[in-house]
Amino acid sequence: INAEYGGPEPLASRVENLTDIIRRRNSEQIFWTGSNPEEQTKFWDWNWVVESSDNTREFLIHYIRYGIGFIKNIPTDLSMEEILHDKMGIVRALRKTVFPDVDIVRYKNNPTNSGYGSGVLPGHIDLCYYNQLPHVQYFISLENTVDGGESFWVDAFSVIKEMQETVPEYVEVLSRIPVPYRYTPPGSGTFQTTIHPIVNFEKLHGDIYQVIENPWNSDIPMFTRMYPEETRSTWWEAYLHYRGLIEDPARWYERKLLGGEFVVLDNWRVYHGRKEFTWKEGQERVVATSYMDWNHMASRIMSTEVGDHVFLEIDQH
């Protein structure tokens, strides 16, 4: 990818290359499990990543291939916008959601959203209740002095590829039967709802391009109303097999994120979760999170110079 998109090109040629790099996001993926984590869990040094435009692009290409990328030694006084826009040169385009553009996730006692508590947060994909959920998610650990609270990540595409070989009939069910999702936190006045199959394939070439699944946002009463018992039984059989693989710790890459460690995540591919932690007076676990659409990431990879946001040029025409 780096060699083919490394130089200045006429706009029409770059339109073709944008289409190609989106295709390559599917065809050049490298699948992984917790048993082979060495390359995809490489921690890139922040100073090296922002030393040059080419270094930034190399890191982002790594992210596209593995669906995840880690950076260490980021100064914790930098804002998310300074990290992404001012330093890495990614267009200033954080995705608007029901959460703040930069959401500071800090421990709360007895929260309505379990992400702010101290209990186990099982593996999930974020914001499944949007018609098009954000593709890119950013995490930066600002402080982590609690006992426990290790993060973990699971490559769902690896799970699907395995199921295609062992139980293809389950993959067919999960890609055919849509599931309703909703987000209606008490007292918020928010009502987000949509419907998606768990597994989505690219229509032309048949590549996996998206997994959408979060059991705590699935609307099971609506699911029960939508389908007859036979359909539900077929779906549950396939889903429980799939979910059992996602929950297998042997597939996880697990790490307790330290202050100044940063993760960029493919929210259409990689599940994230958290183990339980014990909070004591004076301890903190603070993470900042943001979302972005994937085309802005592709634009940065194609742009040889910071500030040359090719995709936005195309989008405006």
Side-chain angles (χ1 to χ4, degrees):
I1 296 175
N2 228 350
E4 295 189 29
Y5 303 106
E9 301 158 301
L11 182 59
S13 174
R14 297 174 97 168
V15 173
E16 294 178 1
N17 284 343
L18 178 62
T19 303
D20 191 33
I21 199 172
I22 292 171
R23 165 78 178 127
R24 283 167 178 261
R25 182 259 173 185
N26 297 331
S27 65
E28 294 197 359
Q29 293 170 112
I30 298 174
F31 304 113
W32 51 271
T33 69
S35 61
N36 60 351
E38 183 175 350
E39 183 60 24
Q40 95 274 0
T41 57
K42 170 184 176 181
F43 268 75
W44 302 62
D45 183 73
W46 169 246
N47 291 323
W48 184 89
V49 169
V50 297
E51 184 178 56
S52 71
S53 182
D54 284 345
N55 289 2
T56 302
R57 294 166 70 229
E58 184 176 338
F59 168 74
L60 296 177
I61 289 167
H62 171 95
Y63 152 79
I64 284 177
R65 288 191 171 127
Y66 292 94
I68 197 166
F70 297 89
I71 300 177
K72 61 184 178 181
N73 300 325
I74 293 184
T76 55
D77 60 346
L78 289 179
S79 68
M80 187 70 79
E81 190 170 74
E82 288 173 320
I83 292 169
L84 299 178
H85 180 72
D86 298 345
K87 300 296 186 181
M88 298 180 71
I90 300 171
V91 65
R92 200 185 302 267
L94 295 180
R95 172 75 179 268
K96 300 291 184 183
T97 73
V98 294
F99 299 101
D101 289 357
V102 180
D103 191 21
I104 305 300
V105 181
R106 185 189 302 267
Y107 168 74
K108 297 178 182 179
N109 186 34
N110 196 28
T112 56
N113 185 323
S114 58
Y116 298 85
S118 62
V120 173
L121 191 62
H124 61 284
I125 298 292
D126 268 7
L127 305 182
C128 295
Y129 38 80
Y130 278 90
N131 287 333
Q132 177 158 311
L133 55 157
H135 199 153
V136 185
Q137 184 170 16
Y138 302 103
F139 296 80
I140 180 168
S141 175
L142 301 175
E143 185 176 358
N144 194 357
T145 57
V146 299
D147 298 324
E150 295 83 359
S151 298
F152 62 88
W153 301 269
V154 189
D155 184 1
F157 285 11
S158 174
V159 171
I160 296 302
K161 292 294 285 186
E162 179 180 312
M163 289 178 61
Q164 286 179 310
E165 296 173 0
T166 57
V167 282
E169 67 277 15
Y170 287 172
V171 177
E172 189 277 331
V173 167
L174 296 177
S175 65
R176 175 171 53 85
I177 300 177
V179 179
Y181 292 94
R182 69 174 178 175
Y183 181 66
T184 55
S188 69
T190 298
F191 187 85
Q192 286 285 145
T193 182
T194 191
I195 184 168
H196 299 286
I198 288 178
V199 183
N200 294 277
F201 293 95
E202 190 263 332
K203 302 298 183 185
L204 185 60
H205 301 284
D207 297 315
I208 312 168
Y209 83 93
Q210 187 182 51
V211 167
I212 303 174
E213 196 264 323
N214 186 331
W216 297 271
N217 292 142
S218 56
D219 189 345
I220 298 304
M222 180 60 71
F223 182 78
T224 303
R225 292 176 62 187
M226 288 172 60
Y227 299 114
E229 183 177 356
E230 182 179 359
T231 301
R232 298 198 309 270
S233 177
T234 298
W235 182 87
W236 276 108
E237 181 180 343
Y239 172 70
L240 290 175
H241 181 92
Y242 168 76
R243 188 71 203 185
L245 295 174
I246 292 292
E247 294 283 357
D248 181 1
R251 290 187 170 272
W252 300 357
Y253 172 64
E254 181 182 316
R255 179 183 175 90
K256 183 174 181 178
L257 290 175
L258 306 177
E261 293 185 341
F262 176 89
V263 187
V264 55
L265 191 69
D266 187 333
N267 189 52
W268 289 12
R269 170 180 174 179
V270 176
Y271 282 60
H272 66 281
R274 180 199 67 217
K275 289 189 168 183
E276 183 178 12
F277 65 86
T278 302
W279 181 85
K280 298 176 183 177
E281 192 69 35
Q283 293 182 334
E284 289 283 9
R285 186 184 188 276
V286 186
V287 178
T289 70
S290 293
Y291 302 96
M292 185 177 285
D293 289 320
W294 185 84
N295 47 18
H296 300 300
M297 188 75 75
S299 174
R300 179 64 188 92
I301 292 171
M302 292 178 62
S303 304
T304 57
E305 300 298 332
V306 173
D308 176 24
H309 299 305
V310 178
F311 189 86
L312 297 187
E313 289 183 349
I314 298 167
D315 205 35
Q316 290 169 1
H317 289 75

